[in-house]
Amino acid sequence: MIKKNKGLFILIGILVVLLAAYFGLQAWNKSQEEKAEQEDEAAVVHVTETDAEDIVSMHFDVGNGEMEFVKEDGTWYYTADRDFPLTQSYPEDMAAAMGSVTADRELEDGDDLADYGLEEPVYTLSYSDADGSTTELYFGNMTGDYYYVTVGDTGKVYTVASTVIDSFNYTLDDIARLDEYPSIGSGNLVKEVITQNGETTTYDSENEDQQEDVTAVAGGLGAVTLSEAADYSVADEDLAGYGLDEAARITVEATYTEDEEEKVLTLYIGNEDGNGNRYVMMNDSRIVYLISDEICNNILNT
């Protein structure tokens, strides 16, 4: 019995030693990883170091036109048109990219700024933080896959990966938040009512004599895609120019079912644009879309 207990104590002792070695190795590995991370961080050359949350305005032009954004109460706006339907993730990502630009290296004892194309920069990006401090980034010539970059009047020159510009290389079409269009077809279209010049035409799915007409208008409604806009925030005084003022537009009210619930889509159809499209608005949106004549004719059953 004593021999058995002695053997058990020996095994327990070995287990304790092994566990101590294991946890000791884990702690050493973690310390080495932390040390490596600190060394990597120390090796990073920071061109800008501003928290994205602290950035309240941005201004730049990277070849797609001048863009300026301002943040108020946590919401970003396109400065040139505050009613522009801006997808918030774009300026948020831009602020993150602008506030944390890193360089491949900082040039030591460099040449004059003109030698790097920095006296007349290719691109200028600037941002302001909540304290009112403004930072300007100037992008000059390229060297391989890098731009020469300087910040304000510091005189320091860095080489920054050309991919930095990708975070800002968007058009207004790219960053617009378009309306969601419902899924409509002959299987869920209940009724369509068209009002034009004071006259009303109704296509009802329960009317057996109108089955062909209902299929035709449902096909038109189902073919609509909201992908191209002529105006992102049309003013009331400009509606007539698109033929979308109340006196001129055609109103289409489509009743359809979604998840066993009846809903109504309202489309306003205006003039032709001369390129095979017509101006269209939906519901209470201020965006004027371009929809092909063919689709509009199907919706109107003409």
Side-chain angles (χ1 to χ4, degrees):
M1 186 68 177
I2 294 174
K3 288 183 178 180
K4 288 183 178 180
N5 288 340
K6 183 177 180 181
L8 181 60
F9 291 145
I10 291 172
L11 289 175
I12 293 174
I14 293 172
L15 179 61
V16 170
V17 171
L18 290 174
L19 287 173
Y22 172 77
F23 287 114
L25 182 60
Q26 289 287 91
W28 183 83
N29 285 337
K30 185 175 181 180
S31 67
Q32 290 299 106
E33 290 175 2
E34 291 175 350
K35 181 180 178 182
E37 289 176 1
Q38 290 172 357
E39 289 175 351
D40 289 342
E41 180 63 24
V44 173
V45 180
H46 293 278
V47 180
T48 60
E49 288 186 273
T50 304
D51 193 303
E53 292 298 318
D54 293 332
I55 295 178
V56 296
S57 67
M58 298 179 290
H59 180 272
F60 57 87
D61 185 347
V62 296
N64 291 318
E66 188 174 355
M67 287 195 179
E68 185 173 355
F69 304 95
V70 62
K71 184 169 68 173
E72 295 178 3
D73 297 326
T75 300
W76 283 99
Y77 298 92
Y78 176 52
T79 308
D81 180 3
R82 290 176 61 91
D83 293 323
F84 178 85
L86 179 62
T87 303
Q88 291 294 300
S89 60
Y90 284 96
E92 288 170 357
D93 291 345
M94 291 172 182
M98 201 174 287
S100 60
V101 175
T102 59
D104 176 62
R105 63 192 177 103
E106 178 184 343
L107 303 186
E108 301 291 342
D109 302 322
D111 299 325
D112 293 335
L113 293 180
D115 296 322
Y116 302 108
L118 289 167
E119 278 199 350
E120 296 182 7
V122 178
Y123 305 127
T124 299
L125 286 68
S126 68
Y127 67 86
S128 298
D129 60 27
D131 295 328
S133 177
T134 298
T135 301
E136 294 184 321
L137 292 162
Y138 301 109
F139 287 69
N141 299 333
M142 290 193 71
T143 172
D145 293 328
Y146 297 87
Y147 280 105
Y148 291 116
V149 173
T150 190
V151 182
D153 58 0
T154 62
K156 295 180 179 180
V157 178
Y158 306 88
T159 53
V160 172
S162 59
T163 52
V164 168
I165 293 298
D166 294 344
S167 298
F168 311 95
N169 194 16
Y170 296 103
T171 64
L172 289 179
D173 289 338
D174 295 326
I175 65 178
R177 185 185 68 254
L178 302 182
D179 298 297
E180 292 186 9
Y181 187 83
S183 176
I184 299 178
S186 56
N188 70 336
L189 179 64
V190 177
K191 179 173 60 177
E192 180 186 86
V193 179
I194 302 170
T195 303
Q196 182 177 13
N197 298 325
E199 297 184 0
T200 297
T201 302
T202 300
Y203 299 106
D204 194 326
S205 62
E206 294 186 356
N207 187 334
E208 293 183 0
D209 296 331
Q210 292 186 323
Q211 292 308 302
E212 275 191 31
D213 294 323
V214 170
T215 299
V217 298
L221 290 167
V224 172
T225 56
L226 305 179
S227 58
E228 187 176 0
D231 195 323
Y232 288 104
S233 53
V234 64
D236 287 341
E237 58 268 26
D238 296 328
L239 288 173
Y242 296 109
L244 289 168
D245 57 308
E246 193 170 347
R249 68 194 183 194
I250 302 171
T251 300
V252 177
E253 290 187 344
T255 303
Y256 63 99
T257 58
E258 183 177 275
D259 298 328
E260 300 182 355
E261 179 184 351
E262 281 198 1
K263 298 184 177 181
V264 178
L265 166 71
T266 302
L267 292 177
Y268 302 109
I269 300 177
N271 297 335
E272 296 181 358
D273 73 340
N275 295 307
N277 304 297
R278 295 185 72 164
Y279 300 112
V280 176
M281 295 175 67
M282 64 175 285
N283 297 334
D284 56 355
S285 173
R286 304 302 298 179
I287 303 176
V288 178
Y289 294 97
L290 291 170
I291 307 296
S292 74
D293 287 336
E294 181 181 359
I295 291 175
C296 290
N297 289 339
N298 287 338
I299 292 173
L300 299 173
N301 200 28
T302 58

